[in-house]
């Protein structure tokens, strides 16, 4: 089946035989003029020879054909028989295991009948994906037999060359991995796109691509990987140094360098070369939480005594420390409590710097204490976080409630003055008197009640304000509420 030409028998071929001139030619005439014919086989003999063949091997699974042409220099007058068989040179065919690697061995016999001058021997060539040097095998002709013609075996050896048509691209695996905490080993595979039939050495180094720092984020020693013949994968190790920092993803690249071949290798970097996109990008993904939060978002504090500045501290926490400084902008938003009446901010607290590595910061405002009972008040403390992009945008708010701690204390003079201050010039009917009442919590509170408008108007209409004129001083008689009930004149001395 290996040879296209039919063979008369399947006997095992004899070792290659080159028919000598004496065996191929008839006896020469006994004359000096005929001696020259012996030196020129073509003069009296039919020349038999086999040509050489060259072809590509093809991809794996493909079976190709190498066609060797065997020719007679002219047609014979009788049948000519010649045996043939194949042998490997650098190409191999394995009889022992029953499977050929590069070509299928062939043997048989060719028969040239009168008038025929060309026959073809077909040898099956097996494709593969192995990167290798060109390989060769030989088809030998032997045992030429002719009934009447003198045959000279001029070229008994046809060389078949199997040209390599495979190449190999060397690349590294890209890896994306969480950095973790502490040191860990990361495996990275080196790949050959096709196997190589010789030992291969590949050098690997590294370079920082984006953010990752050798010795801080990872450890890698430059090395040379050794791949055995036909080996397509080799694994190298990188030490990843994890941490607890909130940070951006970082990366570095493993770089392929020189390619060298082991003993006996005849390949060049044209057949085995580094892939255009060689890979080796190692991305260390941050797996530490990038979060900012307040320990408490609801704060309730007593206002304190008159003249006291009581600090209110909102504690900000970072889930993970940063490798860079962080800035906080602190602002207060009035509610029922008012800036500079119930609380105040200090300029030095407007911006707060959080040093790198810290996980805690404080935003502070001051409550303004007093000794007068006032209802419960509140305001908002707003904290805006300015940090790196990977931290994100954060605006945090704490609701602060000011509780009065003066329950049971009403300053009578202050209460009376507050009510007096409600009197508008020229409007005696706007007079108020102080009254202590209880609020919903049962605490006394100063309340200014309006005097009876009708009473005030009656006083205004009395003649005393007219009779007194400019030479007497008008006086008012006040009741226990401090509201006017009568008026009169006092002579000036």
């Amino acid at each position: 089946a290996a040879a296209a030409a039919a063979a008369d028998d399947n006997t095992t071929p004899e070792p290659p035989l080159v028919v000598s001139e004496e065996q191929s030619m008839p006896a020469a005439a006994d004359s000096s003029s005929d001696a020259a014919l012996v030196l020129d086989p073509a003069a009296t003999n039919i020349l038999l020879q086999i040509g050489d063949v060259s072809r590509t091997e093809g991809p794996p699974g493909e079976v190709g054909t190498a066609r060797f042409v065997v020719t007679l220099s002219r047609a014979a007058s009788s049948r000519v028989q010649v045996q043939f068989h194949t042998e490997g040179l650098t190409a191999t065919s394995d009889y022992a295991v029953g499977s050929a690697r590069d070509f299928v061995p062939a043997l048989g016999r060719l028969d040239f009948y009168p008038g025929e001058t060309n026959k073809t021997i077909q040898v099956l060539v097996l494709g593969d994906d192995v990167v290798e040097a060109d390989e060769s095998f030989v088809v030998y002709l032997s045992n030429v037999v002719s009934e009447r013609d003198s045959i000279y075996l001029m070229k008994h050896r046809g060389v078949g060359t199997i040209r390599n048509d495979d190449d190999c691209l060397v690349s590294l695996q890209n890896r994306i991995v969480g950095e973790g905490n502490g040191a860990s080993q990361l495996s990275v595979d080196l790949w050959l796109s096709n196997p190589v039939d010789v030992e291969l050495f590949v050098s690997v180094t590294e370079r920082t691509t984006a953010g990752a720092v050798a010795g801080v984020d990872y450890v890698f020693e430059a090395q040379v990987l050794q791949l055995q013949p036909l080996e397509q994968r080799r694994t190298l190790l990188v030490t990843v140094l994890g941490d607890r920092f909130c940070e951006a993803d970082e990366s570095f690249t493993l770089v392929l360098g020189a390619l060298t071949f082991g003993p006996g290798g005849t390949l060049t970097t044209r057949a085995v070369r580094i892939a255009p996109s060689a890979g080796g990008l190692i991305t260390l993904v941050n797996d530490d939480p990038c979060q900012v939060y307040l320990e408490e978002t609801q704060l309730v504090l007593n206002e304190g005594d008159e003249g006291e500045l009581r600090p209110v501290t909102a504690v900000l926490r970072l889930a993970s420390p940063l490798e860079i400084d962080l800035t906080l902008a602190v602002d207060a938003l009035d509610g029922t409590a008012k800036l500079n009446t119930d609380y105040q901010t200090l300029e030095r607290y407007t911006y707060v710097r959080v040093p790198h590595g810290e996980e805690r910061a404080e935003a502070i405002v001051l409550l303004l204490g007093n000794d007068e009972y006032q209802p419960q008040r509140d305001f908002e403390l707003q904290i805006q976080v300015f940090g790196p992009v990977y931290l994100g945008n954060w605006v945090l708010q704490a609701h602060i409630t000011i509780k009065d701690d003066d329950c049971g204390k009403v300053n009578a003079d202050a209460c009376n003055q507050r009510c007096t201050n409600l009197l508008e010039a020229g409007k005696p009917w706007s007079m108020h008197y102080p009254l202590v009442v209880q609020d919903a919590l049962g605490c006394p509170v100063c309340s200014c009640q309006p005097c009876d408008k009708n009473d005030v108007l009656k006083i205004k209409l009395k003649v005393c304000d007219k009779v007194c004129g400019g030479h007497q001083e008008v006086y008012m008689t006040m009741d226990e509420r401090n509201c006017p009930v009568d008026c009169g004149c006092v002579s000036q001395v």
Side-chain angles (χ1 to χ4, degrees), residues 73-280:
S73 59
R74 63 179 182 272
S77 60
S78 62
R79 183 175 66 169
V80 177
Q81 296 178 327
V82 59
Q83 293 182 345
F84 66 88
H85 74 280
T86 56
E87 288 187 8
L89 294 178
T90 54
T92 60
S93 62
D94 192 345
Y95 287 101
V97 297
S99 61
R101 177 181 171 189
D102 299 310
F103 69 97
V104 177
L107 74 164
R109 189 184 71 195
L110 298 179
D111 291 288
F112 289 85
Y113 291 94
E116 295 180 336
T117 58
N118 292 285
K119 292 289 182 180
T120 301
I121 300 172
Q122 299 187 42
V123 180
L124 300 182
V125 175
L126 305 179
D128 61 35
D129 59 0
V130 178
V131 182
E132 55 200 344
D134 293 347
E135 300 169 309
S136 59
F137 63 95
V138 177
V139 177
Y140 286 106
L141 301 181
S142 61
N143 300 328
V144 181
V145 177
S146 176
E147 296 176 357
R148 292 188 298 273
D149 298 280
S150 178
I151 308 299
Y152 181 78
L153 189 52
M154 185 176 182
K155 183 174 181 292
H156 75 289
R157 184 175 182 268
V159 178
T161 301
I162 304 174
R163 299 193 308 275
N164 174 68
D165 56 2
D166 299 302
D167 61 3
C168 172
L169 298 179
V170 184
S171 61
L172 284 168
Q173 182 184 22
N174 293 324
R175 293 298 308 271
I176 300 175
V177 63
E179 62 180 355
N181 293 322
S184 61
Q185 295 296 312
L186 174 66
S187 62
V188 181
D189 289 336
L190 179 142
W191 292 93
L192 304 186
S193 61
N194 285 316
V196 179
D197 72 343
V198 295
E199 194 174 33
L200 179 64
F201 298 88
V202 184
S203 65
V204 185
T205 58
E206 54 82 22
R207 71 166 181 268
T208 297
T209 304
V213 178
V216 175
D217 300 301
Y218 68 94
V219 175
F220 179 75
E221 298 288 341
Q223 54 192 268
V224 176
L225 298 181
Q226 179 182 5
L227 289 88
Q228 298 300 319
L230 305 183
E231 184 179 9
Q232 286 186 260
R233 188 180 75 174
R234 177 67 66 169
T235 300
L236 53 84
L237 295 177
V238 178
T239 300
V240 176
L241 304 177
D243 56 40
R244 291 185 54 251
F245 288 105
C246 163
E247 56 192 346
D249 295 345
E250 301 168 316
S251 62
F252 64 97
T253 302
L254 299 180
V255 181
L256 296 176
L259 304 177
T260 56
F261 304 101
T266 59
L267 299 177
T268 68
T269 52
R270 288 178 297 178
V272 181
R273 62 188 186 278
I274 297 172
S277 299

Side-chain angles (χ1 to χ4, degrees), residues 436-453:
V436 177
V437 297
Q438 289 187 337
D439 66 4
L441 300 177
C443 291
V445 60
C446 174
S447 175
C448 295
Q449 302 293 323
C451 293
D452 191 318
K453 184 175 181 180

Side-chain angles (χ1 to χ4, degrees), residues 419-432 460:
C419 295
T420 301
N421 290 342
L422 296 178
L423 177 62
E424 299 181 41
K427 299 178 180 180
W429 56 85
S430 65
M431 294 183 67
H432 287 70
K460 180 177 177 63

